[in-house]
Amino acid sequence: YISRVGLDHVKKRILEDAEGRRALWERLQFALDGEPDPWFESSQASVDVRQFTPLQPQTGALA
């Protein structure tokens, strides 16, 4: 996205536009309303809990 629209555009739309940032936050909250948080309610979110298990590096895997 940044390579397409440019970093200056992103800064203007997100960092420098408090009202626009607030509107984006409200849209996100509306979209997520009623959705269970998979980090705290994994059984209700119907997620594979293995995705929250820390990865262990494998030695010699990329030799």
Side-chain angles (χ1 to χ4, degrees):
Y1 177 78
I2 292 175
S3 64
R4 185 167 47 89
V5 300
L7 185 57
D8 290 333
H9 173 78
V10 173
K11 285 180 181 180
K12 284 181 183 176
R13 290 293 312 248
I14 305 298
L15 300 177
E16 299 169 5
D17 181 6
E19 187 62 34
R21 187 172 56 246
R22 188 176 300 109
L24 288 172
W25 176 254
E26 289 172 3
R27 286 175 56 195
L28 174 64
Q29 294 309 306
F30 178 79
L32 295 176
D33 187 37
E35 291 293 319
D37 185 340
W39 288 99
F40 298 105
E41 306 168 275
S42 59
S43 62
Q44 295 172 337
S46 300
V47 297
D48 185 348
V49 295
R50 293 178 296 174
Q51 68 181 322
F52 302 111
T53 304
L55 298 174
Q56 299 298 320
Q58 296 180 355
T59 57
L62 298 174

Short mmCIF file of all heavy atoms in Angstrom, two decimals:
data_model
loop_
_atom_site.label_atom_id
_atom_site.label_comp_id
_atom_site.label_asym_id
_atom_site.label_seq_id
_atom_site.Cartn_x
_atom_site.Cartn_y
_atom_site.Cartn_z
N TYR A 1 0.82 -1.19 0.00
CA TYR A 1 0.00 0.00 0.00
C TYR A 1 0.87 1.25 0.00
O TYR A 1 0.62 2.17 -0.76
CB TYR A 1 -0.94 -0.05 1.21
CG TYR A 1 -1.80 1.18 1.35
CD1 TYR A 1 -2.92 1.36 0.57
CD2 TYR A 1 -1.49 2.16 2.29
CE1 TYR A 1 -3.71 2.48 0.70
CE2 TYR A 1 -2.27 3.28 2.43
CZ TYR A 1 -3.39 3.45 1.64
OH TYR A 1 -4.16 4.55 1.77
N ILE A 2 1.87 1.27 0.85
CA ILE A 2 2.73 2.46 0.94
C ILE A 2 3.48 2.68 -0.37
O ILE A 2 3.61 3.82 -0.81
CB ILE A 2 3.70 2.34 2.14
CG1 ILE A 2 2.90 2.43 3.43
CG2 ILE A 2 4.75 3.44 2.10
CD1 ILE A 2 3.71 2.22 4.68
N SER A 3 3.93 1.60 -0.98
CA SER A 3 4.66 1.77 -2.24
C SER A 3 3.75 2.31 -3.34
O SER A 3 4.20 2.98 -4.26
CB SER A 3 5.31 0.46 -2.68
OG SER A 3 4.32 -0.51 -2.95
N ARG A 4 2.45 2.04 -3.22
CA ARG A 4 1.50 2.51 -4.23
C ARG A 4 1.10 3.95 -4.01
O ARG A 4 1.04 4.73 -4.96
CB ARG A 4 0.26 1.61 -4.22
CG ARG A 4 -0.73 1.92 -5.31
CD ARG A 4 -1.79 0.85 -5.47
NE ARG A 4 -2.39 0.40 -4.25
CZ ARG A 4 -3.48 0.96 -3.70
NH1 ARG A 4 -4.06 1.98 -4.28
NH2 ARG A 4 -3.97 0.48 -2.58
N VAL A 5 0.81 4.35 -2.77
CA VAL A 5 0.30 5.71 -2.51
C VAL A 5 1.36 6.65 -1.96
O VAL A 5 1.18 7.86 -1.98
CB VAL A 5 -0.92 5.69 -1.57
CG1 VAL A 5 -2.04 4.89 -2.16
CG2 VAL A 5 -0.54 5.17 -0.20
N GLY A 6 2.44 6.11 -1.43
CA GLY A 6 3.51 6.94 -0.89
C GLY A 6 3.37 7.16 0.61
O GLY A 6 2.27 7.25 1.14
N LEU A 7 4.50 7.25 1.27
CA LEU A 7 4.53 7.41 2.72
C LEU A 7 3.95 8.76 3.14
O LEU A 7 3.28 8.85 4.17
CB LEU A 7 5.97 7.26 3.24
CG LEU A 7 6.14 7.28 4.75
CD1 LEU A 7 5.30 6.19 5.40
CD2 LEU A 7 7.61 7.11 5.11
N ASP A 8 4.17 9.80 2.35
CA ASP A 8 3.61 11.11 2.70
C ASP A 8 2.09 11.07 2.76
O ASP A 8 1.47 11.67 3.63
CB ASP A 8 4.08 12.18 1.71
CG ASP A 8 5.55 12.50 1.86
OD1 ASP A 8 6.08 12.31 2.98
OD2 ASP A 8 6.17 12.92 0.87
N HIS A 9 1.48 10.35 1.82
CA HIS A 9 0.02 10.22 1.82
C HIS A 9 -0.45 9.50 3.08
O HIS A 9 -1.43 9.93 3.71
CB HIS A 9 -0.44 9.46 0.57
CG HIS A 9 -1.89 9.15 0.58
ND1 HIS A 9 -2.85 10.08 0.28
CD2 HIS A 9 -2.56 8.00 0.87
CE1 HIS A 9 -4.05 9.52 0.38
NE2 HIS A 9 -3.90 8.26 0.74
N VAL A 10 0.22 8.44 3.46
CA VAL A 10 -0.15 7.69 4.65
C VAL A 10 -0.02 8.56 5.89
O VAL A 10 -0.90 8.58 6.75
CB VAL A 10 0.69 6.40 4.79
CG1 VAL A 10 0.42 5.70 6.11
CG2 VAL A 10 0.42 5.47 3.61
N LYS A 11 1.05 9.31 5.99
CA LYS A 11 1.24 10.21 7.13
C LYS A 11 0.11 11.23 7.21
O LYS A 11 -0.42 11.49 8.29
CB LYS A 11 2.58 10.93 7.02
CG LYS A 11 3.77 10.07 7.34
CD LYS A 11 5.03 10.89 7.20
CE LYS A 11 6.27 10.08 7.48
NZ LYS A 11 7.49 10.89 7.34
N LYS A 12 -0.25 11.80 6.07
CA LYS A 12 -1.33 12.79 6.07
C LYS A 12 -2.65 12.17 6.49
O LYS A 12 -3.41 12.76 7.25
CB LYS A 12 -1.48 13.42 4.69
CG LYS A 12 -0.42 14.43 4.37
CD LYS A 12 -0.64 15.04 2.99
CE LYS A 12 0.49 16.00 2.66
NZ LYS A 12 0.34 16.52 1.30
N ARG A 13 -2.94 10.99 6.00
CA ARG A 13 -4.23 10.35 6.27
C ARG A 13 -4.32 9.77 7.68
O ARG A 13 -5.40 9.73 8.25
CB ARG A 13 -4.49 9.22 5.27
CG ARG A 13 -4.76 9.66 3.86
CD ARG A 13 -6.08 10.40 3.76
NE ARG A 13 -7.16 9.71 4.43
CZ ARG A 13 -8.19 9.15 3.85
NH1 ARG A 13 -8.30 9.20 2.55
NH2 ARG A 13 -9.12 8.54 4.55
N ILE A 14 -3.21 9.32 8.24
CA ILE A 14 -3.24 8.64 9.53
C ILE A 14 -2.63 9.49 10.64
O ILE A 14 -3.28 9.77 11.65
CB ILE A 14 -2.52 7.28 9.46
CG1 ILE A 14 -3.10 6.40 8.35
CG2 ILE A 14 -2.57 6.58 10.80
CD1 ILE A 14 -4.55 6.05 8.50
N LEU A 15 -1.41 9.88 10.49
CA LEU A 15 -0.71 10.56 11.58
C LEU A 15 -1.11 12.01 11.76
O LEU A 15 -1.21 12.49 12.89
CB LEU A 15 0.80 10.47 11.36
CG LEU A 15 1.39 9.06 11.30
CD1 LEU A 15 2.87 9.12 11.02
CD2 LEU A 15 1.11 8.32 12.59
N GLU A 16 -1.34 12.70 10.65
CA GLU A 16 -1.59 14.14 10.75
C GLU A 16 -3.07 14.51 10.74
O GLU A 16 -3.41 15.67 10.89
CB GLU A 16 -0.85 14.85 9.61
CG GLU A 16 0.65 14.65 9.67
CD GLU A 16 1.37 15.12 8.43
OE1 GLU A 16 0.71 15.70 7.53
OE2 GLU A 16 2.59 14.91 8.35
N ASP A 17 -3.95 13.54 10.55
CA ASP A 17 -5.38 13.81 10.45
C ASP A 17 -6.10 13.15 11.63
O ASP A 17 -6.57 12.02 11.54
CB ASP A 17 -5.91 13.26 9.12
CG ASP A 17 -7.39 13.52 8.91
OD1 ASP A 17 -8.01 14.22 9.74
OD2 ASP A 17 -7.93 13.00 7.92
N ALA A 18 -6.19 13.88 12.73
CA ALA A 18 -6.78 13.31 13.94
C ALA A 18 -8.24 12.93 13.73
O ALA A 18 -8.69 11.88 14.19
CB ALA A 18 -6.66 14.30 15.10
N GLU A 19 -9.00 13.76 13.03
CA GLU A 19 -10.41 13.45 12.79
C GLU A 19 -10.56 12.22 11.91
O GLU A 19 -11.40 11.35 12.16
CB GLU A 19 -11.11 14.65 12.14
CG GLU A 19 -12.59 14.47 12.01
CD GLU A 19 -13.30 14.31 13.35
OE1 GLU A 19 -12.88 14.92 14.34
OE2 GLU A 19 -14.30 13.56 13.38
N GLY A 20 -9.74 12.12 10.86
CA GLY A 20 -9.78 10.94 10.00
C GLY A 20 -9.36 9.68 10.74
O GLY A 20 -9.93 8.61 10.55
N ARG A 21 -8.36 9.81 11.60
CA ARG A 21 -7.91 8.68 12.41
C ARG A 21 -9.01 8.22 13.35
O ARG A 21 -9.28 7.03 13.51
CB ARG A 21 -6.65 9.08 13.19
CG ARG A 21 -6.00 7.95 13.93
CD ARG A 21 -4.65 8.32 14.52
NE ARG A 21 -4.72 9.47 15.40
CZ ARG A 21 -4.13 10.65 15.16
NH1 ARG A 21 -3.47 10.83 14.04
NH2 ARG A 21 -4.22 11.64 16.00
N ARG A 22 -9.72 9.17 13.94
CA ARG A 22 -10.83 8.85 14.83
C ARG A 22 -11.94 8.13 14.05
O ARG A 22 -12.52 7.15 14.53
CB ARG A 22 -11.38 10.12 15.47
CG ARG A 22 -12.40 9.87 16.55
CD ARG A 22 -12.85 11.16 17.24
NE ARG A 22 -11.73 11.86 17.88
CZ ARG A 22 -11.21 13.01 17.44
NH1 ARG A 22 -11.70 13.61 16.39
NH2 ARG A 22 -10.20 13.57 18.07
N ALA A 23 -12.22 8.59 12.84
CA ALA A 23 -13.25 7.96 12.01
C ALA A 23 -12.85 6.53 11.64
O ALA A 23 -13.69 5.62 11.67
CB ALA A 23 -13.49 8.78 10.76
N LEU A 24 -11.58 6.33 11.30
CA LEU A 24 -11.10 4.97 10.99
C LEU A 24 -11.22 4.06 12.20
O LEU A 24 -11.61 2.90 12.09
CB LEU A 24 -9.65 5.01 10.49
CG LEU A 24 -9.44 5.57 9.10
CD1 LEU A 24 -7.95 5.73 8.83
CD2 LEU A 24 -10.08 4.69 8.05
N TRP A 25 -10.89 4.58 13.38
CA TRP A 25 -10.98 3.81 14.62
C TRP A 25 -12.44 3.41 14.89
O TRP A 25 -12.72 2.27 15.24
CB TRP A 25 -10.40 4.59 15.79
CG TRP A 25 -10.54 3.90 17.09
CD1 TRP A 25 -11.40 4.20 18.11
CD2 TRP A 25 -9.81 2.74 17.54
NE1 TRP A 25 -11.24 3.33 19.15
CE2 TRP A 25 -10.28 2.42 18.82
CE3 TRP A 25 -8.82 1.97 16.96
CZ2 TRP A 25 -9.78 1.34 19.54
CZ3 TRP A 25 -8.32 0.90 17.69
CH2 TRP A 25 -8.80 0.59 18.96
N GLU A 26 -13.36 4.35 14.69
CA GLU A 26 -14.77 4.05 14.90
C GLU A 26 -15.27 3.00 13.92
O GLU A 26 -16.05 2.12 14.29
CB GLU A 26 -15.59 5.33 14.80
CG GLU A 26 -15.37 6.26 15.98
CD GLU A 26 -16.03 7.61 15.82
OE1 GLU A 26 -16.73 7.83 14.80
OE2 GLU A 26 -15.84 8.46 16.71
N ARG A 27 -14.82 3.07 12.66
CA ARG A 27 -15.21 2.06 11.68
C ARG A 27 -14.68 0.69 12.07
O ARG A 27 -15.37 -0.32 11.93
CB ARG A 27 -14.68 2.44 10.29
CG ARG A 27 -15.46 3.57 9.65
CD ARG A 27 -14.87 4.03 8.35
NE ARG A 27 -14.74 2.94 7.39
CZ ARG A 27 -14.00 3.01 6.30
NH1 ARG A 27 -13.33 4.11 6.01
NH2 ARG A 27 -13.92 1.99 5.47
N LEU A 28 -13.44 0.65 12.56
CA LEU A 28 -12.87 -0.62 13.01
C LEU A 28 -13.65 -1.18 14.18
O LEU A 28 -13.98 -2.38 14.21
CB LEU A 28 -11.40 -0.44 13.39
CG LEU A 28 -10.71 -1.66 13.99
CD1 LEU A 28 -10.65 -2.81 12.98
CD2 LEU A 28 -9.33 -1.31 14.49
N GLN A 29 -13.97 -0.35 15.15
CA GLN A 29 -14.72 -0.81 16.31
C GLN A 29 -16.11 -1.31 15.92
O GLN A 29 -16.60 -2.30 16.45
CB GLN A 29 -14.82 0.30 17.37
CG GLN A 29 -13.50 0.68 17.98
CD GLN A 29 -12.71 -0.52 18.49
OE1 GLN A 29 -13.21 -1.31 19.27
NE2 GLN A 29 -11.49 -0.67 18.01
N PHE A 30 -16.75 -0.63 14.97
CA PHE A 30 -18.06 -1.06 14.48
C PHE A 30 -17.95 -2.43 13.82
O PHE A 30 -18.77 -3.32 14.04
CB PHE A 30 -18.62 -0.04 13.49
CG PHE A 30 -19.94 -0.45 12.91
CD1 PHE A 30 -21.11 -0.29 13.63
CD2 PHE A 30 -20.00 -0.99 11.63
CE1 PHE A 30 -22.32 -0.68 13.09
CE2 PHE A 30 -21.21 -1.38 11.08
CZ PHE A 30 -22.38 -1.23 11.81
N ALA A 31 -16.90 -2.63 13.03
CA ALA A 31 -16.71 -3.90 12.33
C ALA A 31 -16.43 -5.04 13.32
O ALA A 31 -16.82 -6.18 13.08
CB ALA A 31 -15.57 -3.79 11.32
N LEU A 32 -15.75 -4.73 14.41
CA LEU A 32 -15.38 -5.76 15.39
C LEU A 32 -16.41 -5.95 16.49
O LEU A 32 -16.27 -6.87 17.30
CB LEU A 32 -14.03 -5.41 16.02
CG LEU A 32 -12.83 -5.42 15.08
CD1 LEU A 32 -11.58 -4.95 15.82
CD2 LEU A 32 -12.63 -6.79 14.46
N ASP A 33 -17.43 -5.12 16.52
CA ASP A 33 -18.43 -5.19 17.58
C ASP A 33 -19.08 -6.56 17.62
O ASP A 33 -19.59 -7.05 16.61
CB ASP A 33 -19.51 -4.11 17.37
CG ASP A 33 -20.47 -4.05 18.54
OD1 ASP A 33 -20.02 -4.22 19.68
OD2 ASP A 33 -21.67 -3.83 18.29
N GLY A 34 -19.03 -7.18 18.77
CA GLY A 34 -19.63 -8.50 18.94
C GLY A 34 -18.72 -9.66 18.60
O GLY A 34 -19.06 -10.81 18.86
N GLU A 35 -17.57 -9.38 18.02
CA GLU A 35 -16.62 -10.44 17.70
C GLU A 35 -15.79 -10.77 18.95
O GLU A 35 -15.29 -9.86 19.60
CB GLU A 35 -15.67 -10.01 16.57
CG GLU A 35 -16.34 -9.88 15.23
CD GLU A 35 -16.82 -11.21 14.70
OE1 GLU A 35 -16.10 -12.22 14.83
OE2 GLU A 35 -17.92 -11.24 14.14
N PRO A 36 -15.63 -12.03 19.28
CA PRO A 36 -14.80 -12.38 20.44
C PRO A 36 -13.33 -12.09 20.16
O PRO A 36 -12.87 -12.21 19.03
CB PRO A 36 -15.05 -13.87 20.63
CG PRO A 36 -15.57 -14.35 19.32
CD PRO A 36 -16.22 -13.19 18.64
N ASP A 37 -12.62 -11.70 21.18
CA ASP A 37 -11.19 -11.45 21.07
C ASP A 37 -10.45 -12.78 21.13
O ASP A 37 -10.48 -13.45 22.17
CB ASP A 37 -10.74 -10.54 22.21
CG ASP A 37 -9.29 -10.12 22.11
OD1 ASP A 37 -8.52 -10.81 21.40
OD2 ASP A 37 -8.92 -9.12 22.74
N PRO A 38 -9.80 -13.20 20.05
CA PRO A 38 -9.16 -14.52 20.05
C PRO A 38 -8.03 -14.65 21.06
O PRO A 38 -7.69 -15.76 21.46
CB PRO A 38 -8.64 -14.67 18.63
CG PRO A 38 -8.54 -13.29 18.10
CD PRO A 38 -9.61 -12.50 18.80
N TRP A 39 -7.44 -13.55 21.52
CA TRP A 39 -6.37 -13.64 22.51
C TRP A 39 -6.92 -13.97 23.89
O TRP A 39 -6.24 -14.57 24.71
CB TRP A 39 -5.59 -12.32 22.57
CG TRP A 39 -4.75 -12.13 21.38
CD1 TRP A 39 -5.04 -11.37 20.30
CD2 TRP A 39 -3.48 -12.72 21.11
NE1 TRP A 39 -4.03 -11.45 19.38
CE2 TRP A 39 -3.05 -12.27 19.85
CE3 TRP A 39 -2.65 -13.59 21.82
CZ2 TRP A 39 -1.84 -12.65 19.29
CZ3 TRP A 39 -1.44 -13.96 21.25
CH2 TRP A 39 -1.06 -13.49 20.01
N PHE A 40 -8.16 -13.55 24.18
CA PHE A 40 -8.73 -13.74 25.51
C PHE A 40 -9.90 -14.71 25.53
O PHE A 40 -10.25 -15.23 26.58
CB PHE A 40 -9.17 -12.40 26.10
CG PHE A 40 -8.02 -11.45 26.27
CD1 PHE A 40 -7.84 -10.38 25.42
CD2 PHE A 40 -7.09 -11.63 27.29
CE1 PHE A 40 -6.78 -9.51 25.56
CE2 PHE A 40 -6.02 -10.77 27.44
CZ PHE A 40 -5.86 -9.72 26.58
N GLU A 41 -10.52 -14.93 24.38
CA GLU A 41 -11.69 -15.80 24.30
C GLU A 41 -11.53 -16.80 23.16
O GLU A 41 -12.37 -16.89 22.29
CB GLU A 41 -12.95 -14.96 24.08
CG GLU A 41 -13.14 -13.86 25.11
CD GLU A 41 -14.21 -12.87 24.70
OE1 GLU A 41 -13.89 -11.93 23.96
OE2 GLU A 41 -15.35 -13.07 25.13
N SER A 42 -10.45 -17.55 23.18
CA SER A 42 -10.14 -18.43 22.05
C SER A 42 -11.20 -19.49 21.83
O SER A 42 -11.47 -19.88 20.69
CB SER A 42 -8.77 -19.08 22.23
OG SER A 42 -8.73 -19.83 23.43
N SER A 43 -11.86 -19.97 22.88
CA SER A 43 -12.88 -21.00 22.69
C SER A 43 -14.10 -20.43 21.98
O SER A 43 -14.75 -21.12 21.19
CB SER A 43 -13.29 -21.60 24.04
OG SER A 43 -13.85 -20.60 24.87
N GLN A 44 -14.43 -19.18 22.22
CA GLN A 44 -15.58 -18.55 21.56
C GLN A 44 -15.23 -18.06 20.15
O GLN A 44 -16.11 -17.92 19.32
CB GLN A 44 -16.08 -17.37 22.38
CG GLN A 44 -16.63 -17.78 23.72
CD GLN A 44 -16.94 -16.58 24.59
OE1 GLN A 44 -16.40 -15.51 24.40
NE2 GLN A 44 -17.83 -16.78 25.55
N ALA A 45 -13.96 -17.80 19.90
CA ALA A 45 -13.55 -17.25 18.61
C ALA A 45 -13.35 -18.34 17.56
O ALA A 45 -13.10 -18.02 16.40
CB ALA A 45 -12.27 -16.44 18.77
N SER A 46 -13.46 -19.59 17.92
CA SER A 46 -13.29 -20.71 16.99
C SER A 46 -11.96 -20.61 16.24
O SER A 46 -11.91 -20.64 15.02
CB SER A 46 -14.45 -20.76 16.00
OG SER A 46 -15.66 -20.93 16.67
N VAL A 47 -10.89 -20.44 16.99
CA VAL A 47 -9.56 -20.36 16.40
C VAL A 47 -8.74 -21.56 16.85
O VAL A 47 -9.02 -22.19 17.85
CB VAL A 47 -8.83 -19.06 16.78
CG1 VAL A 47 -9.55 -17.85 16.26
CG2 VAL A 47 -8.63 -18.96 18.27
N ASP A 48 -7.75 -21.87 16.08
CA ASP A 48 -6.80 -22.91 16.44
C ASP A 48 -5.83 -22.31 17.45
O ASP A 48 -5.05 -21.41 17.11
CB ASP A 48 -6.07 -23.39 15.19
CG ASP A 48 -5.15 -24.57 15.46
OD1 ASP A 48 -4.89 -24.88 16.64
OD2 ASP A 48 -4.69 -25.17 14.49
N VAL A 49 -5.88 -22.74 18.69
CA VAL A 49 -5.07 -22.13 19.74
C VAL A 49 -3.58 -22.30 19.50
O VAL A 49 -2.78 -21.61 20.12
CB VAL A 49 -5.45 -22.67 21.14
CG1 VAL A 49 -6.86 -22.25 21.50
CG2 VAL A 49 -5.30 -24.16 21.23
N ARG A 50 -3.19 -23.17 18.58
CA ARG A 50 -1.76 -23.32 18.29
C ARG A 50 -1.16 -22.04 17.71
O ARG A 50 0.03 -21.81 17.81
CB ARG A 50 -1.53 -24.48 17.31
CG ARG A 50 -1.86 -25.83 17.92
CD ARG A 50 -1.68 -26.93 16.92
NE ARG A 50 -2.64 -26.72 15.82
CZ ARG A 50 -2.67 -27.45 14.73
NH1 ARG A 50 -1.81 -28.44 14.56
NH2 ARG A 50 -3.57 -27.23 13.80
N GLN A 51 -2.00 -21.18 17.14
CA GLN A 51 -1.46 -19.94 16.58
C GLN A 51 -0.98 -18.98 17.66
O GLN A 51 -0.27 -18.02 17.37
CB GLN A 51 -2.49 -19.26 15.69
CG GLN A 51 -3.69 -18.70 16.41
CD GLN A 51 -4.67 -18.06 15.45
OE1 GLN A 51 -4.27 -17.42 14.50
NE2 GLN A 51 -5.94 -18.24 15.70
N PHE A 52 -1.33 -19.23 18.91
CA PHE A 52 -0.89 -18.38 20.00
C PHE A 52 0.27 -18.98 20.78
O PHE A 52 0.70 -18.44 21.78
CB PHE A 52 -2.06 -18.10 20.96
CG PHE A 52 -3.22 -17.45 20.25
CD1 PHE A 52 -4.40 -18.14 20.06
CD2 PHE A 52 -3.11 -16.17 19.76
CE1 PHE A 52 -5.46 -17.54 19.40
CE2 PHE A 52 -4.17 -15.56 19.11
CZ PHE A 52 -5.34 -16.25 18.93
N THR A 53 0.80 -20.10 20.31
CA THR A 53 1.94 -20.75 20.94
C THR A 53 3.22 -20.12 20.39
O THR A 53 3.37 -20.02 19.17
CB THR A 53 1.94 -22.26 20.64
OG1 THR A 53 0.70 -22.81 21.08
CG2 THR A 53 3.08 -22.96 21.33
N PRO A 54 4.13 -19.69 21.26
CA PRO A 54 5.38 -19.10 20.76
C PRO A 54 6.14 -20.09 19.87
O PRO A 54 6.18 -21.29 20.15
CB PRO A 54 6.17 -18.79 22.03
CG PRO A 54 5.15 -18.75 23.12
CD PRO A 54 4.07 -19.70 22.71
N LEU A 55 6.71 -19.58 18.80
CA LEU A 55 7.49 -20.40 17.89
C LEU A 55 8.86 -20.69 18.50
O LEU A 55 9.46 -19.84 19.15
CB LEU A 55 7.67 -19.72 16.55
CG LEU A 55 6.40 -19.44 15.76
CD1 LEU A 55 6.73 -18.63 14.52
CD2 LEU A 55 5.73 -20.75 15.39
N GLN A 56 9.34 -21.88 18.28
CA GLN A 56 10.67 -22.26 18.73
C GLN A 56 11.57 -22.36 17.51
O GLN A 56 11.23 -23.05 16.56
CB GLN A 56 10.63 -23.60 19.47
CG GLN A 56 9.75 -23.60 20.70
CD GLN A 56 10.23 -22.62 21.75
OE1 GLN A 56 11.41 -22.47 21.98
NE2 GLN A 56 9.30 -21.94 22.38
N PRO A 57 12.70 -21.69 17.52
CA PRO A 57 13.60 -21.77 16.36
C PRO A 57 14.15 -23.19 16.22
O PRO A 57 14.41 -23.87 17.20
CB PRO A 57 14.71 -20.77 16.68
CG PRO A 57 14.63 -20.56 18.16
CD PRO A 57 13.23 -20.84 18.58
N GLN A 58 14.28 -23.62 14.99
CA GLN A 58 14.85 -24.94 14.71
C GLN A 58 16.30 -24.73 14.30
O GLN A 58 16.58 -23.98 13.39
CB GLN A 58 14.08 -25.63 13.60
CG GLN A 58 12.65 -25.93 13.99
CD GLN A 58 11.91 -26.62 12.85
OE1 GLN A 58 12.43 -26.78 11.75
NE2 GLN A 58 10.69 -27.04 13.12
N THR A 59 17.18 -25.42 14.98
CA THR A 59 18.60 -25.27 14.65
C THR A 59 18.93 -26.06 13.40
O THR A 59 18.45 -27.19 13.21
CB THR A 59 19.49 -25.76 15.83
OG1 THR A 59 19.14 -27.12 16.10
CG2 THR A 59 19.24 -24.92 17.06
N GLY A 60 19.69 -25.46 12.54
CA GLY A 60 20.15 -26.12 11.32
C GLY A 60 19.10 -26.25 10.23
O GLY A 60 19.34 -26.90 9.23
N ALA A 61 17.93 -25.67 10.39
CA ALA A 61 16.86 -25.80 9.41
C ALA A 61 17.18 -25.07 8.12
O ALA A 61 16.77 -25.48 7.06
CB ALA A 61 15.53 -25.30 9.99
N LEU A 62 17.93 -23.98 8.19
CA LEU A 62 18.24 -23.20 7.00
C LEU A 62 19.73 -23.25 6.69
O LEU A 62 20.36 -22.24 6.42
CB LEU A 62 17.79 -21.73 7.19
CG LEU A 62 16.30 -21.53 7.39
CD1 LEU A 62 16.01 -20.08 7.71
CD2 LEU A 62 15.52 -21.97 6.17
N ALA A 63 20.27 -24.40 6.69
CA ALA A 63 21.71 -24.54 6.47
C ALA A 63 22.08 -24.36 5.04
O ALA A 63 21.38 -24.46 4.13
CB ALA A 63 22.19 -25.91 6.93
#
